[in-house]
Amino acid sequence: MEKPFLTVVVPCYNEEEVLSESVAQLTNIIQKLVMSESISNKSQIMFVDDGSKDKTWELIQQYSESNEHVSGLKLSRNYGHQGALLAGLTEAHAYSDCVVSIDADLQDDVNAIIEFIEKYHEGYDVVYGVRDKRDTDTYFKRNSALAFYRIMSKLGVNMVPNHADYRLLSKRALTEFLRYKEENMFIRGIVPLLGFKSTKVFYNRNERFAGESKYPLKKMVLFAVDGITSFSVAPIRLLLVIGSVIFMIGVVMGIYAIAQKIIGAVVPGWTSLIVSLWLIGGIQLIGIGVLGEYIGKIFKQVKERPRFTIEENVFEMKCKENKINER
């Protein structure tokens, strides 16, 4: 039986401080799997440079020349973490039997990849890396993440709690995944929709090896908004409910005002008027903002612009040199 060709996709943005350690640890895992005859000895670690401004791409090129298992993909500009991950998965699809995605910061335990491959050989098409605990997170990040998963669950989105983008996809799972053509690709929500046989591998998350987090609060909020609006129209329905409630309150207040006028008990005042104006005005602006979020997604989708542009592709070149056939 032919050993599976594994590609480990690693999105990178300004990761020069951690890249050498990432290469060392991931190469060690690949070599262990090759020695145990679990994967092909031609398997690759594909580092995807997402428009880095430091020496990340130069280092990737150096390692690709000195390390037979390292290759790279350079995007023409910064497309964001999900864009870089999508680019890597798309390019890996042609040559790989299975693909593992992992971040470059080494917070996800690379040793779990060995168990991923074991599960793959057992017949699983999707293997989720799930954090056993969140002790390394701040109080705010830990609780905001849990709140996000609860909200998504209430909205009917089937997500795996405490799972980020550390997972294995088989060839057929990846083929099906790439049929999804959303402009705003929320990968964590799409993978569970595939419906193939899946399982979980639990691991302990480490501290970031070096450098700074590429997901500050602002990006986390935007990511959550993308996830919610990509999978549910519940926010728009909520606006309808709020509008209906306010309309009913308005009817009641109108009847009350007319009654007060008839009995001559009207007392001029501005407090209720100002409060009403601010309340209604605020809700209207929120409503316009929510609708704008959906319309903006439609606007981006209908233009059908490329979701990423590749400037250099060392991965494909290495696969061809190693005579890896497209699969």
Side-chain angles (χ1 to χ4, degrees):
M1 181 178 178
E2 188 178 356
K3 301 179 186 67
F5 182 94
L6 167 68
T7 301
V8 180
V9 177
V10 190
C12 302
Y13 179 68
N14 295 340
E15 298 288 4
E16 65 177 357
E17 295 180 56
V18 74
L19 201 60
S20 61
E21 188 64 25
S22 297
V23 169
Q25 290 195 24
L26 289 170
T27 299
N28 182 49
I29 294 298
I30 293 293
Q31 289 175 341
K32 284 182 179 179
L33 289 168
V34 169
M35 289 292 291
S36 65
E37 298 188 341
S38 298
I39 61 173
S40 166
N41 61 356
K42 304 290 181 62
S43 295
Q44 292 290 303
I45 308 164
M46 183 207 298
F47 291 94
V48 183
D49 178 30
D50 186 26
S52 297
K53 298 177 182 178
D54 60 6
K55 296 181 180 179
T56 296
W57 179 245
E58 287 81 353
L59 290 171
I60 292 172
Q61 287 180 307
Q62 291 174 18
Y63 286 120
S64 67
E65 292 171 1
S66 61
N67 188 325
E68 63 178 336
H69 295 298
V70 174
S71 57
L73 201 66
K74 186 179 191 302
L75 303 186
S76 61
R77 62 174 176 84
N78 179 255
Y79 286 87
H81 179 272
Q82 298 290 281
L85 181 54
L86 178 62
L89 293 174
T90 303
E91 290 305 303
H93 175 257
Y95 299 95
S96 309
D97 295 300
C98 54
V99 177
V100 169
S101 57
I102 185 173
D103 290 341
D105 57 17
L106 299 177
Q107 287 189 280
D108 297 320
D109 184 6
V110 298
N111 293 292
I113 295 175
I114 295 175
E115 197 169 346
F116 283 8
I117 297 300
E118 290 174 358
K119 296 296 183 184
Y120 169 77
H121 283 293
E122 290 174 13
Y124 290 97
D125 289 290
V126 181
V127 184
Y128 299 102
V130 179
R131 297 172 62 171
D132 209 10
K133 49 189 176 182
R134 303 186 70 104
D135 293 348
T136 58
D137 286 348
T138 62
Y139 175 84
F140 173 78
K141 188 171 183 179
R142 180 167 59 252
N143 286 278
S144 61
L146 292 174
F148 173 66
Y149 288 123
R150 290 194 189 102
I151 291 171
M152 295 298 281
S153 177
K154 293 290 185 183
L155 294 176
V157 183
N158 181 25
M159 288 182 62
V160 179
N162 294 322
H163 162 70
D165 287 303
Y166 189 24
R167 69 178 72 83
L168 176 144
L169 296 175
S170 69
K171 177 74 171 182
R172 69 170 181 166
L174 183 55
T175 299
E176 190 65 25
F177 168 77
L178 292 176
R179 291 179 60 202
Y180 289 76
K181 301 298 182 182
E182 285 99 324
E183 173 70 25
N184 294 90
M185 181 71 81
F186 187 65
I187 298 175
R188 300 180 197 183
I190 290 176
V191 172
L193 294 178
L194 302 180
F196 292 114
K197 186 178 179 182
S198 64
T199 188
K200 301 173 184 176
V201 169
F202 293 89
Y203 68 94
N204 292 323
R205 192 165 167 88
N206 305 314
E207 294 285 351
R208 184 178 174 87
F209 182 79
E212 299 179 353
S213 172
K214 304 305 185 296
Y215 260 97
L217 178 61
K218 180 181 177 182
K219 283 191 176 181
M220 287 171 59
V221 172
L222 291 175
F223 182 73
V225 170
D226 267 346
I228 293 170
T229 54
S230 292
F231 277 83
S232 176
V233 295
I236 293 179
R237 289 175 179 167
L238 180 61
L239 285 176
L240 177 61
V241 172
I242 293 173
S244 300
V245 171
I246 291 175
F247 173 76
M248 295 304 297
I249 293 173
V251 170
V252 172
M253 292 303 294
I255 294 171
Y256 173 76
I258 292 171
Q260 292 289 74
K261 178 71 174 177
I262 292 172
I263 64 175
V266 176
V267 178
W270 59 272
T271 303
S272 58
L273 179 62
I274 294 298
V275 170
S276 299
L277 287 174
W278 278 97
L279 178 63
I280 305 261
I283 291 172
Q284 285 177 333
L285 289 173
I286 291 172
I288 292 170
V290 172
L291 289 172
E293 187 69 30
Y294 283 92
I295 293 170
K297 281 181 165 54
I298 296 169
F299 174 69
K300 290 181 179 179
Q301 187 71 34
V302 298
K303 288 188 292 186
E304 296 186 349
R305 290 178 177 174
R307 291 181 288 181
F308 55 85
T309 301
I310 297 171
E311 186 173 328
E312 295 185 51
N313 194 337
V314 178
F315 171 77
E316 184 178 44
M317 181 183 69
K318 269 206 166 182
C319 287
K320 289 180 177 179
E321 286 178 354
N322 292 332
K323 297 181 180 179
I324 306 297
N325 297 323
E326 293 193 18
R327 306 173 185 214

